[in-house]
Amino acid sequence: MEDFSAGPLVPAVVKSEHSKPLAADPSAATVGAVSGGEIFPASEAVMPELDKDFLCPICMQIIKDAFLTACGHSFCYMCITTHLRNKSDCPCCGHYLTNSHLFPNFLLDKLLKKTSARQISRTATPVEHFRHALEKGCDVTIKELDTLLSLLAEKKRKMEQEEAERNMQILLDFLHCLRKQKVDELKEVQTDLQFIKEDISAVEKHRMDLYRARDRYSVKLRMLDDSSGRKSWHSSMDRNGTGLMSSTLNLRGGLSSGSLTKKNEGKSQISSHGYGVQRKDAISGSESQYINQSGAALVRKKRVHTQFNDLQECYLRKRRHSVDKPHDQQETDTNLISREGYTAGLEDFQSVLTTFTRYSRLRVIAELRHGDLFHSANIVSSIEFDRDDDLFATAGVSRSIKVFDFSGVVNEPADSHYPVVEMSTRSKLSCLSWNKYSKNQIASSDYEGIVTVWDVTTRKSLMEYEEHEKRAWSVDFSRTDPSMLVKVWCTRQEASVLNIDMKANICCVKYNPGSGNYIAVGSADHHIHYYDLRNISRPVHVFSGHKKAVSYVKFLSNDELASASTDSTLRLWDVKDNVPVRTFRGHANEKNFVGLTVNSEYIACGSETNEVFVYHKEISKPVTWHKFGSPEVDDTEDEAGSYFISAVCWKSDSPTILTANSQGTIKVLVLAA
């Protein structure tokens, strides 16, 4: 029978009855293994099988100090004696066995030593073979040793030469790479210096123009003051002349006319003195105004130096980008550049610098309580302005939607802060969204997965959507199509229009403000999935970078998307080029939903330290922050530390922001210098 295998073919040895004895045929004395056209000795071909036979059945290693049992099995001495301390049988066949039934296997030990020696000889280097031969006392003459030493010395010199050449080549490659990198950096620095030089010239020229305009304005003011002074002097002189004439004509009138003249002179002196006082007051007022302006300038300069590195990066990025901008796009900015004398990049950076240094703190302008002061269920999970920023609505675990009049909250006393509309709900609420076109409609999502559209005027629900099986964390109206809600619902239909299935839990959704076809979805898989609703089979792009669940997504513009995560970071993304732009750090957020709100320039979020943080979109560190206090309640330090900001909302593009925390406190804050 022939044997077939997937490996190299090994001829089978067949013993025939009519064949001669194997020893009689010298060519048949050994059987070889054929592999790749080469013939190996049979002893080497079966060596792997022998190695398996030399393994100890207990430790599965090459047997050491082989001992044979009465039943004919061999083990390492330590392995079998250790086994017999616990059991009295053979590990291979289960035959009764004790230490008295063990005998040294000298033949196996000798075979093992020879096998290990052959293995060492096969794997040993020529140097080890030579050393082994010398250790065995191989006879070598002095002449042969001299020849070997000279060969070794030459080999050593050659190896040292090659090693030195390799080291020099590595060093040379490093220096060439370093020089190229530094030359590139030098070119970049020279280009940046040229940008800075050009911008300094442009700014100096514009500043001189402003100084000349101010001087012309000052001259006009002095001329107006002088003309008014002369008019006042002429009027006083006329009054004095009249007094003198009347006194001359009425000399015969005696003391009465003289006393009248003295009275008129006194009035003239008082009028002249009063004019001098007015001039002094005007001068002192202008000086105090100049001092105040100088102090404000120093404060703003201090803010610049505090965030100098981030501002430097912002300036260089915008300046380089303006040079790389396509020609047709530069032509659209011609009017702006020619008017200011700036490049587009410098103009853009000046806008950033102005908005960044304008504010340094958050000031409280109003405060109210969302619920009962001593009630634990006061967490405000959502707070939103309506279409015209006249009303704002709040919702949370208190199972109600409260609508407040913003002007009343800001202008009226704290005792009169009551909602103008209040609507009760069956479940705790997670999110609110006002209709961007219909002022009286607001949508809510709750803990039972129900999305409800309310009419604020009638205080009744218009539609209820119950297709979600779990808690609905987020709801949003489309800006371009006010009838569309996400999951995608239509307010004119009872069933959902589209359904996007995702493997991970969805934490937030937001329509792109410039198109009702695109939505951003933040999920528990740490990613933001950006979908085109015309093809929901796969996202347009998946933004990766957050290390934990994405809790909020908000659009600053059609191309800019901000996201918040429980990894204590905010991130800014470019959804047009599908690239990350910036990471913001400073607040603390590891487990709670702390709110996120944006406008065209600023990003604000809450923190688990009960603070509100405001970032400028071009700077990765906070511009300012405000810590909530609880003066009404005598909280212990541990209880105060458990509060966190739970909702925030900008008032369109104004510096005013609504904030709420887990204690139910709502504050109206405004950015201030």
Side-chain angles (χ1 to χ4, degrees):
M1 181 180 292
E2 295 181 354
D3 294 333
F4 295 95
S5 66
L9 293 176
V10 180
V13 180
V14 180
K15 183 176 180 180
S16 175
E17 295 179 356
H18 304 287
S19 64
K20 297 180 180 180
L22 292 174
D25 187 0
S27 63
T30 59
V31 179
V34 181
S35 177
E38 296 182 357
I39 299 177
F40 300 98
S43 60
E44 294 186 7
V46 298
M47 186 58 67
E49 296 297 330
L50 291 176
D51 289 345
K52 292 181 181 179
D53 293 335
F54 292 158
L55 297 181
C56 172
I58 297 177
C59 66
M60 300 306 294
Q61 301 294 326
I62 299 295
I63 297 176
K64 296 180 180 179
D65 298 330
F67 267 67
L68 183 67
T69 64
C71 54
H73 299 105
S74 295
F75 302 93
C76 299
Y77 176 74
M78 290 301 298
C79 293
I80 191 61
T81 54
T82 303
H83 173 77
L84 292 177
R85 291 194 193 113
N86 301 317
K87 294 184 178 181
S88 299
D89 59 356
C90 174
C92 291
C93 63
H95 190 274
Y96 177 74
L97 188 66
T98 62
N99 287 331
S100 60
H101 298 147
L102 300 178
F103 310 98
N105 195 339
F106 298 113
L107 178 60
L108 182 57
D109 273 339
K110 191 180 293 186
L111 288 173
L112 288 172
K113 288 179 182 179
K114 288 182 179 181
T115 301
S116 61
R118 282 197 299 269
Q119 289 178 344
I120 291 172
S121 65
R122 284 201 305 269
T123 58
T125 63
V127 176
E128 291 174 342
H129 281 295
F130 181 65
R131 185 173 62 249
H132 188 61
L134 291 178
E135 289 174 353
K136 285 186 174 182
C138 180
D139 293 334
V140 183
T141 63
I142 295 176
K143 185 177 181 180
E144 290 174 340
L145 284 176
D146 289 338
T147 304
L148 288 173
L149 288 174
S150 62
L151 288 173
L152 291 173
E154 180 65 22
K155 182 67 175 177
K156 179 183 178 184
R157 186 195 64 76
K158 186 178 179 181
M159 292 177 66
E160 289 176 345
Q161 178 72 19
E162 292 174 352
E163 180 69 17
E165 290 177 1
R166 281 195 297 269
N167 291 338
M168 288 298 105
Q169 187 62 43
I170 292 172
L171 178 60
L172 188 62
D173 292 343
F174 168 77
L175 292 175
H176 280 306
C177 183
L178 181 61
R179 182 180 65 178
K180 182 179 181 301
Q181 179 181 333
K182 293 302 178 183
V183 167
D184 293 341
E185 290 178 0
L186 178 60
K187 289 180 180 179
E188 190 176 69
V189 170
Q190 288 174 341
T191 304
D192 293 343
L193 285 173
Q194 184 63 30
F195 290 156
I196 296 170
K197 183 179 178 181
E198 294 172 0
D199 292 345
I200 287 175
S201 299
V203 172
E204 287 287 353
K205 179 179 179 302
H206 188 60
R207 189 178 67 162
M208 293 305 298
D209 293 340
L210 291 175
Y211 283 164
R212 293 190 189 99
R214 188 186 67 180
D215 291 341
R216 289 193 296 269
Y217 178 70
S218 299
V219 170
K220 289 181 180 180
L221 282 178
R222 284 197 297 270
M223 292 174 63
L224 290 173
D225 290 342
D226 291 341
S227 63
S228 62
R230 283 195 298 270
K231 288 179 181 179
S232 176
W233 182 76
H234 283 306
S235 62
S236 63
M237 288 297 294
D238 291 341
R239 286 194 296 271
N240 290 336
T242 303
L244 289 172
M245 289 175 65
S246 60
S247 62
T248 304
L249 293 172
N250 297 306
L251 281 174
R252 296 175 183 176
L255 293 174
S256 61
S257 63
S259 61
L260 179 62
T261 303
K262 289 180 181 179
K263 287 180 181 178
N264 288 334
E265 288 177 353
K267 289 180 180 179
S268 175
Q269 291 174 1
I270 291 171
S271 175
S272 176
H273 180 69
Y275 172 71
V277 171
Q278 290 176 0
R279 287 292 301 271
K280 289 181 180 179
D281 290 342
I283 294 172
S284 62
S286 62
E287 288 178 352
S288 63
Q289 184 178 3
Y290 176 76
I291 292 172
N292 292 335
Q293 291 177 352
S294 300
L298 289 174
V299 172
R300 297 182 74 171
K301 286 180 180 179
K302 185 177 180 181
R303 293 177 208 155
V304 170
H305 287 290
T306 302
Q307 304 287 356
F308 188 82
N309 291 334
D310 285 339
L311 289 170
Q312 173 185 250
E313 180 185 349
C314 176
Y315 165 76
L316 294 176
R317 183 179 63 256
K318 291 184 176 297
R319 196 61 173 84
R320 294 165 186 165
H321 179 69
S322 66
V323 175
D324 298 335
K325 190 182 294 185
H327 180 69
D328 56 347
Q329 192 172 354
Q330 287 184 359
E331 289 180 352
T332 59
D333 298 335
T334 302
N335 296 332
L336 177 65
I337 297 171
S338 61
R339 184 177 69 249
E340 294 289 345
Y342 293 173
T343 62
L346 180 60
E347 177 68 22
D348 196 6
F349 176 72
Q350 185 182 23
S351 175
V352 171
L353 193 65
T354 301
T355 55
F356 172 73
T357 58
R358 182 179 298 155
Y359 306 115
S360 63
R361 63 190 178 94
L362 285 166
R363 182 168 57 88
V364 181
I365 60 174
E367 183 174 346
L368 68 150
R369 294 287 305 179
H370 183 258
D372 183 8
L373 184 64
F374 302 100
H375 197 274
S376 59
N378 284 332
I379 297 177
V380 180
S381 57
S382 184
I383 186 167
E384 293 289 328
F385 273 107
D386 73 342
R387 181 193 65 189
D388 302 324
D389 292 336
D390 296 329
L391 306 174
F392 67 90
T394 64
V397 299
S398 60
R399 292 183 172 86
S400 66
I401 300 174
K402 297 181 180 181
V403 180
F404 295 87
D405 178 63
F406 178 74
S407 61
V409 170
V410 173
N411 299 321
E412 295 177 2
D415 296 339
S416 59
H417 292 164
Y418 294 101
V420 293
V421 174
E422 184 169 357
M423 297 173 288
S424 299
T425 62
R426 292 176 297 178
S427 178
K428 299 176 182 178
L429 300 179
S430 56
C431 185
L432 295 175
S433 178
W434 285 90
N435 191 310
K436 310 305 184 292
Y437 287 84
S438 181
K439 185 179 176 67
N440 64 322
Q441 286 187 8
I442 187 171
S444 66
S445 58
D446 64 26
Y447 281 32
E448 295 180 0
I450 300 174
V451 175
T452 308
V453 178
W454 302 84
D455 188 326
V456 176
T457 305
T458 62
R459 306 184 185 187
K460 295 180 180 180
S461 64
L462 300 176
M463 298 286 287
E464 287 190 358
Y465 306 99
E466 302 183 6
E467 291 186 18
H468 289 291
E469 297 178 357
K470 297 181 180 179
R471 180 184 303 181
W473 283 109
S474 183
V475 63
D476 187 44
F477 269 108
S478 171
R479 286 182 177 272
T480 56
D481 187 352
S483 65
M484 300 302 290
L485 281 162
V486 175
K487 169 192 174 175
V488 173
W489 310 91
C490 178
T491 55
R492 295 186 294 268
Q493 301 179 21
E494 294 184 0
S496 59
V497 179
L498 288 175
N499 186 21
I500 301 175
D501 290 324
M502 295 184 60
K503 295 180 180 179
N505 290 334
I506 296 175
C507 301
C508 51
V509 291
K510 201 70 179 176
Y511 272 104
N512 188 310
S515 173
N517 295 322
Y518 294 96
I519 62 168
V521 181
S523 67
D525 64 359
H526 311 172
H527 301 316
I528 301 160
H529 303 260
Y530 192 53
Y531 280 96
D532 184 342
L533 296 180
R534 293 165 295 187
N535 181 15
I536 60 174
S537 59
R538 55 182 301 177
V540 175
H541 190 75
V542 178
F543 295 96
S544 303
H546 284 297
K547 296 179 180 178
K548 290 186 178 181
V550 179
S551 50
Y552 296 95
V553 286
K554 302 281 184 177
F555 281 92
L556 284 79
S557 64
N558 296 347
D559 300 330
E560 295 174 305
L561 174 68
S563 62
S565 169
T566 51
D567 61 3
S568 297
T569 65
L570 306 180
R571 289 180 181 264
L572 185 64
W573 314 88
D574 187 332
V575 298
K576 182 179 180 181
D577 297 329
N578 296 331
V579 293
V581 177
R582 191 163 294 102
T583 302
F584 305 90
R585 291 183 174 89
H587 62 286
N589 181 205
E590 295 182 356
K591 59 181 180 179
N592 297 302
F593 280 36
V594 295
L596 176 70
T597 184
V598 299
N599 59 25
S600 59
E601 296 291 336
Y602 291 98
I603 303 172
C605 69
S607 174
E608 288 168 358
T609 56
N610 210 20
E611 294 172 293
V612 179
F613 283 79
V614 177
Y615 298 87
H616 192 282
K617 69 177 183 179
E618 299 289 348
I619 307 298
S620 59
K621 297 178 182 178
V623 175
T624 184
W625 56 89
H626 172 79
K627 187 173 182 64
F628 269 48
S630 53
E632 298 92 346
V633 183
D634 187 14
D635 297 318
T636 63
E637 186 175 350
D638 293 338
E639 290 176 342
S642 64
Y643 298 134
F644 59 91
I645 302 300
S646 54
V648 289
C649 182
W650 284 110
K651 184 174 182 280
S652 296
D653 276 336
S654 75
T656 304
I657 182 174
L658 289 172
T659 59
N661 75 344
S662 57
Q663 194 185 8
T665 301
I666 298 174
K667 288 187 179 183
V668 183
L669 306 176
V670 63
L671 286 169

